[in-house]
Amino acid sequence: MKSSPIFQSVFFESPIGMVILNDDLTIRMANRAFHALVQEDPTDVSGKNFLSYIHQKHAGPVKERFLRLTPGNKTSFTVDAISSVILPFKMTPSTWWNINFSIVHEERETNTTLYYVGFIQDVTLQKKNERYLVAEKENSQLAMKAAEKAAKMKSDFLANMSHEIRTPIHTIIGMGELLGETELDEEQSEYTGQIQFAAEVLLELINNVLDFSKIEAGKLSLECIEFNLHQTLESAVELVALEAHKKGIEVGVFLASQVPLQVKGDPVRLRQIVVNLFNNAVKFTSQGEITLECMSHRVEQDKETITIRVQDTGIGIPEEKLDLLFLEFTQVDSSTTRRFGGTGLGLSIAKSLSELMDGSIRVESREGYGSTFIVTISVTTSSTAPHLIPPDLGAKVLIVEDNPKLRSIAAAYLREWNCLVEEAPSGEQALELLRTAVEAGKPFDIALIDLTLPRMDGWQLASEINSDSTIHNTALILMSPRGTGSTEAKMKLLHWFDDYLGKPLAKQELLTALRDILEQETEVQSLESLSDNTDTDENLSPRTLSRQAKTKEESSGMKPSPESSITSWTGKKVLVAEDHEVNRKLFETILGGLGMKVTSVENGALAVQAAREATFDLVFMDIHMPELNGYEASRGIRDLGVTTPIIAATANAVKGELEKCLAVGMNDFLGKPFRRKDVEKVLTQWMGPPSAGKALEANNANKAKENPKIPPVPEAQNTDGMLSFGKKAHPPNPYADLLVFDSEELLDTFMGQKDTVRSVLIGYMERSKSQIIEIRRLVTTGDMEGLRSEAHGLK
């Protein structure tokens, strides 16, 4: 075989082992690199069969693949094989070669000769590394499986233990509440309170551990149901506001105008985030205020990014500790003498929940100047949610509030509703502004007055305003901390205030209070023409005349009829699913008196059928009903594609009942027993404020005509310890001082319809006799399920 000098140079000097073979695998020529691989002299290599250098277990496969090489078919192949060459200086007993064989054509004048070229490299180290990586991969997989198994065991253990511990804690809490209702002296009451507090704290810790274990195991799933975002945020803050108020800390909630009312998401977990952040803020704040601000930004047609800022004026967080804040079981101060307790799980859980909601959480803080936690979550806007149009109140309002942050929140709401707003940080300044406004001929329509003002509190300010004839025309609303009992019943008898609101202010409650006052102002305009004093000051407002009329009415013993102040949702269609006749009648009376069209059914199956055949604006759904209970009926209605709000009506007011109702597609919860104001609150929440106007008086006036055999309900009188109801008197009762039967409240609840009250009472008395007999029988026979059902019906 002849070759050029260049080819020979490349062949012999190549760092890769090269051989030229005949078709029987005998070596014709080999380069220096190959000689080095086999540690043999060139003269010893030529003429040898290449397979003599391959380990016997690989020689056969190499030969088989070599014989397949043909000019038009398979012209090359690559294979890894163990060499049979034993090198004394090698650490490993065997050497791996990577072999590549190719066909080479040598063209001559008379014919073409085929040769075979082999390229051989030592890949022993590479093979060793591959084996190491495979082993490491197997070890890591085993370690991962072991870690997953350990994590699952830990999570299962935490979950099981959490549930086991919760049971006795609930017992402690329940028995503690019962003990607190017994006659205890001051010292015993204090001990009972400490037990209750400790049990509640322990329960909260257990709940946090349980949630953490679910998150860590990836078993925490989120619901996606429709809920009222405004109500969820305000109620979450209200849960912890009492603790803040006990420390003298002001609490405020601000919901921007663009924040949607109805959204789809997980209200329970959102409430948990807010409560965790607020609890944390209360713990580390000793004075000032804690506020929640909610903003919204639309990212898609049906997607909103909700931003929640919880800001406090507490101790703040050192900059070097900010990165540790959201780690589980970590606190800023982890020393054994730290002032503040806790597991360090609250913020970690809040972070995990916000991330599950496609959001995030971060903190801005400066030590000694408070902290601000910013949470973002993603929600879906409801297709059935009403479009929020800010009302145009057009009133002139004075805000009397010493806290500038809370003052700015109330002012922002009022300006959103097109009110002319002025602010005063004290009672003295408020009086000055009120008098100045009257002198300018532009008096204030309403004044919002904080209870806890410096030097002159809200009651004292109201006394000054009501005693000054120049400014007492302004309607007054008292704002007092929720749950503190500051709005004493005796003080309310003075009628200094037109309405009372709890702090933090709830946006819808504030709007309703303002609307009610402004509507009353409009309705009494006609009283001006009825005034006996023709020389009345032209600056007297309708409110003053209304007070004069009210004073005359009270002095004459007259009482306003319930119909005179009722607003209505005239024409709205409501479905009531209720198996109890009295509750069904109560629903019909209240809703019908408000101008609504009511369809009543006795069980869940009929409710589903009614929802299939007609469209309703609202559904009241009892839980315990025959054939289909409220849960099953709600699922059935949702399966029809009906999006009408469903309100659960049940006496089972235990923790978790609301969540259970929401889980099956219901939207809200009405506890039994309920009153007219409770129903009206639900209607306002889900159908908007009612249209102004009287209820259908004809509906009430014609009741007696429709039921001529039912005598009217006589007035109940209490004379010398004897309660007379009509002509039939009951003997003296040792419990006569206890208000067992409030006839006025009952009459008001049934919209003043005496014939309906009479019918309901007669039916109840007759039915309860048989129910009590049946309950006694079930107790004797030991039928606990029947007893539960019968007792529930009686309740």
Side-chain angles (χ1 to χ4, degrees):
M1 178 179 180
K2 296 181 180 180
S3 58
S4 67
I6 295 178
F7 171 80
Q8 291 183 7
S9 177
V10 171
F11 178 82
F12 285 107
E13 301 300 330
S14 172
I16 298 174
M18 297 176 63
V19 292
I20 296 177
L21 308 174
N22 294 320
D23 56 6
D24 60 355
L25 282 168
T26 57
I27 300 174
R28 294 172 58 100
M29 186 183 302
N31 69 352
R32 293 190 179 93
F34 183 77
H35 298 153
L37 286 175
V38 298
Q39 291 291 296
E40 289 186 3
D41 189 83
T43 57
D44 297 329
V45 171
S46 297
K48 275 192 174 182
N49 192 293
F50 180 81
L51 295 179
S52 64
Y53 298 107
I54 303 300
H55 193 281
Q56 59 181 2
K57 69 177 182 179
H58 288 167
V62 170
K63 181 179 180 180
E64 181 181 354
R65 298 191 64 178
F66 180 83
L67 294 177
R68 293 179 189 170
L69 292 177
T70 56
N73 184 14
K74 187 73 173 176
T75 59
S76 67
F77 75 89
T78 301
V79 66
D80 289 342
I82 297 177
S83 170
S84 61
V85 177
I86 303 299
L87 303 178
F89 57 86
K90 286 281 187 180
M91 296 293 294
T92 55
S94 58
T95 302
W96 277 90
W97 284 356
N98 176 262
I99 307 168
N100 177 273
F101 285 131
S102 301
I103 297 177
V104 177
H105 302 264
E106 183 182 11
E107 300 291 341
R108 295 185 180 181
E109 295 179 359
T110 56
N111 61 1
T112 300
T113 305
L114 296 179
Y115 297 98
Y116 301 89
V117 178
F119 300 88
I120 302 94
Q121 296 185 78
D122 188 338
V123 293
T124 304
L125 182 59
Q126 180 180 331
K127 286 289 185 181
K128 180 180 178 182
N129 290 336
E130 286 178 0
R131 288 196 301 271
Y132 175 78
L133 291 175
V134 170
E136 283 296 304
K137 182 179 179 181
E138 292 176 351
N139 291 336
S140 64
Q141 290 175 342
L142 292 174
M144 186 178 298
K145 290 181 180 179
E148 291 174 352
K149 184 178 180 181
K152 184 178 183 303
M153 291 177 63
K154 181 179 72 173
S155 298
D156 290 344
F157 171 77
L158 288 174
N160 292 333
M161 287 304 298
S162 297
H163 285 298
E164 292 298 323
I165 295 173
R166 283 160 62 97
T167 301
I169 292 177
H170 280 301
T171 302
I172 294 171
I173 293 174
M175 298 307 292
E177 289 178 350
L178 293 177
L179 181 61
E181 294 173 0
T182 62
E183 294 185 7
L184 303 174
D185 59 32
E186 185 176 349
E187 184 178 9
Q188 291 170 332
S189 296
E190 182 181 351
Y191 294 159
T192 303
Q194 291 295 332
I195 293 173
Q196 286 289 96
F197 177 76
E200 294 287 352
V201 171
L202 185 56
L203 181 61
E204 181 183 355
L205 295 178
I206 292 299
N207 288 337
N208 280 340
V209 171
L210 182 59
D211 284 339
F212 174 72
S213 66
K214 289 180 179 179
I215 292 171
E216 192 178 48
K219 293 182 178 180
L220 185 66
S221 58
L222 298 180
E223 290 185 305
C224 186
I225 59 176
E226 187 172 319
F227 68 97
N228 187 308
L229 178 59
H230 291 201
Q231 187 181 44
T232 298
L233 295 176
E234 289 173 340
S235 63
V237 173
E238 189 176 337
L239 287 173
V240 291
L242 180 58
E243 289 301 315
H245 291 151
K246 287 179 180 178
K247 298 175 67 174
I249 303 169
E250 294 277 15
V251 178
V253 178
F254 174 70
L255 306 174
S257 59
Q258 74 270 25
V259 175
L261 182 66
Q262 294 292 124
V263 298
K264 290 182 179 180
D266 193 326
V268 176
R269 294 304 178 182
L270 175 57
R271 186 183 297 114
Q272 185 176 0
I273 292 175
V274 174
V275 169
N276 272 339
L277 294 180
F278 246 86
N279 274 331
N280 215 50
V282 172
K283 185 190 302 182
F284 294 101
T285 303
S286 58
Q287 60 182 358
E289 75 275 341
I290 304 171
T291 58
L292 179 146
E293 298 180 8
C294 181
M295 311 292 285
S296 178
H297 173 66
R298 175 158 293 187
V299 291
E300 295 179 18
Q301 185 175 357
D302 60 344
K303 289 286 186 181
E304 296 267 351
T305 296
I306 305 298
T307 301
I308 300 169
R309 296 171 62 90
V310 177
Q311 186 173 15
D312 63 64
T313 55
I315 61 175
I317 305 165
E319 185 176 354
E320 64 273 11
K321 296 294 183 70
L322 290 177
D323 293 338
L324 304 175
L325 202 58
F326 297 103
L327 298 178
E328 58 270 14
F329 305 108
T330 302
Q331 288 190 328
V332 172
D333 180 8
S334 59
S335 65
T336 56
T337 59
R338 64 176 185 256
R339 292 166 51 198
F340 311 101
T343 60
L345 284 176
L347 292 179
S348 173
I349 292 173
K351 179 177 183 293
S352 298
L353 291 177
S354 63
E355 290 173 349
L356 285 173
M357 296 180 184
D358 298 326
S360 63
I361 185 171
R362 60 188 178 89
V363 62
E364 298 173 355
S365 183
R366 181 181 171 193
E367 190 172 7
Y369 292 88
S371 305
T372 301
F373 286 85
I374 301 98
V375 178
T376 62
I377 63 169
S378 178
V379 297
T380 303
T381 52
S382 172
S383 58
T384 61
H387 180 62
L388 290 178
I389 301 176
D392 188 355
L393 300 183
K396 185 177 181 181
V397 184
L398 174 63
I399 303 173
V400 190
E401 166 68 69
D402 60 313
N403 186 289
K405 185 73 173 180
L406 302 192
R407 205 163 59 235
S408 66
I409 290 175
Y413 283 161
L414 294 169
R415 292 190 177 101
E416 179 185 331
W417 302 328
N418 194 29
C419 291
L420 180 63
V421 182
E422 291 192 37
E423 305 174 23
S426 67
E428 294 84 355
Q429 289 180 263
L431 290 171
E432 183 180 347
L433 287 172
L434 287 167
R435 290 165 182 154
T436 302
V438 170
E439 292 171 0
K442 298 179 180 179
F444 287 94
D445 297 298
I446 301 172
L448 294 171
I449 301 175
D450 181 27
L451 172 64
T452 56
L453 293 170
R455 297 182 298 279
M456 179 188 296
D457 69 14
W459 289 109
Q460 292 173 311
L461 176 57
S463 174
E464 293 287 339
I465 294 173
N466 280 272
S467 62
D468 188 336
S469 60
T470 63
I471 59 175
H472 72 181
N473 298 333
T474 299
L476 308 180
I477 299 177
L478 181 67
M479 305 179 295
S480 58
R482 295 179 188 268
T484 59
S486 298
T487 52
E488 298 91 343
K490 291 181 179 179
M491 296 297 290
K492 287 185 177 181
L493 294 176
L494 297 172
H495 300 294
W496 285 345
F497 288 96
D498 296 78
D499 210 338
Y500 303 87
L501 294 175
K503 295 171 65 180
L505 290 177
K507 191 173 185 179
Q508 185 59 47
E509 287 183 8
L510 175 60
L511 177 59
T512 301
L514 296 173
R515 269 179 165 162
D516 288 347
I517 290 174
L518 294 173
E519 286 172 2
Q520 289 171 12
E521 295 280 348
T522 303
E523 288 174 2
V524 299
Q525 290 284 350
S526 60
L527 290 175
E528 291 182 355
S529 61
L530 301 177
S531 176
D532 294 332
N533 184 5
T534 57
D535 297 326
T536 300
D537 189 334
E538 63 179 5
N539 287 329
L540 283 181
S541 72
R543 180 170 177 267
T544 303
L545 298 174
S546 175
R547 283 181 170 177
Q548 293 173 354
K550 182 178 180 181
T551 302
K552 292 179 181 179
E553 190 176 272
E554 290 175 349
S555 64
S556 64
M558 297 171 58
K559 292 183 179 180
S561 63
E563 293 89 347
S564 63
S565 61
I566 295 174
T567 53
S568 65
W569 287 265
T570 303
K572 296 292 185 180
K573 297 171 65 178
V574 180
L575 172 63
V576 174
E578 169 66 67
D579 66 322
H580 198 284
E581 182 181 351
V582 173
N583 286 334
R584 195 163 59 247
K585 190 67 176 178
L586 180 57
F587 268 124
E588 292 171 355
T589 304
I590 294 174
L591 298 172
L594 294 171
M596 308 180 82
K597 298 179 181 179
V598 184
T599 300
S600 298
V601 294
E602 300 175 4
N603 58 60
L606 293 176
V608 176
Q609 181 179 344
R612 181 184 292 110
E613 297 173 351
T615 301
F616 297 93
D617 297 292
L618 198 71
V619 177
F620 284 100
M621 181 73 68
D622 184 30
I623 297 300
H624 300 286
M625 292 187 294
E627 296 199 35
L628 285 181
N629 62 35
Y631 304 127
E632 297 165 335
S634 296
R635 289 195 190 97
I637 291 175
R638 292 302 184 224
D639 289 343
L640 297 174
V642 176
T643 59
T644 300
I646 301 177
I647 312 302
T650 177
N652 189 23
V654 298
K655 184 178 181 181
E657 183 66 19
L658 173 59
E659 288 74 16
K660 189 175 180 181
C661 293
L662 295 175
V664 298
M666 299 185 187
N667 300 87
D668 208 344
F669 184 95
L670 175 66
K672 295 180 182 178
F674 57 84
R675 299 182 181 182
R676 184 184 71 190
K677 62 182 181 181
D678 301 320
V679 176
E680 289 179 343
K681 184 177 180 180
V682 171
L683 296 177
T684 301
Q685 183 67 48
W686 292 98
M687 300 175 65
S691 58
K694 297 181 180 180
L696 301 178
E697 295 181 0
N699 184 42
N700 297 335
N702 292 329
K703 285 294 183 179
K705 297 180 181 179
E706 295 173 4
N707 302 283
K709 296 182 180 180
I710 300 178
V713 178
E715 296 293 336
Q717 299 177 348
N718 194 350
T719 307
D720 298 329
M722 297 183 65
L723 180 67
S724 62
F725 202 75
K727 295 181 180 180
K728 186 176 181 181
H730 297 271
N733 191 320
Y735 303 102
D737 291 337
L738 298 178
L739 187 60
V740 177
F741 176 69
D742 189 337
S743 58
E744 291 185 5
E745 178 67 29
L746 178 62
L747 191 61
D748 179 66
T749 297
F750 275 88
M751 314 292 283
Q753 299 180 19
K754 295 181 179 180
D755 54 340
T756 303
V757 170
R758 167 69 67 180
S759 174
V760 167
L761 285 176
I762 292 174
Y764 172 76
M765 295 302 292
E766 291 298 324
R767 185 167 50 258
S768 62
K769 291 177 183 178
S770 61
Q771 286 177 314
I772 292 172
I773 294 173
E774 179 64 11
I775 285 174
R776 287 172 177 163
R777 186 190 69 81
L778 292 169
V779 170
T780 304
T781 60
D783 184 355
M784 293 298 104
E785 181 59 30
L787 176 62
R788 185 205 65 78
S789 177
E790 198 66 37
H792 177 80
L794 179 61
K795 179 178 69 171

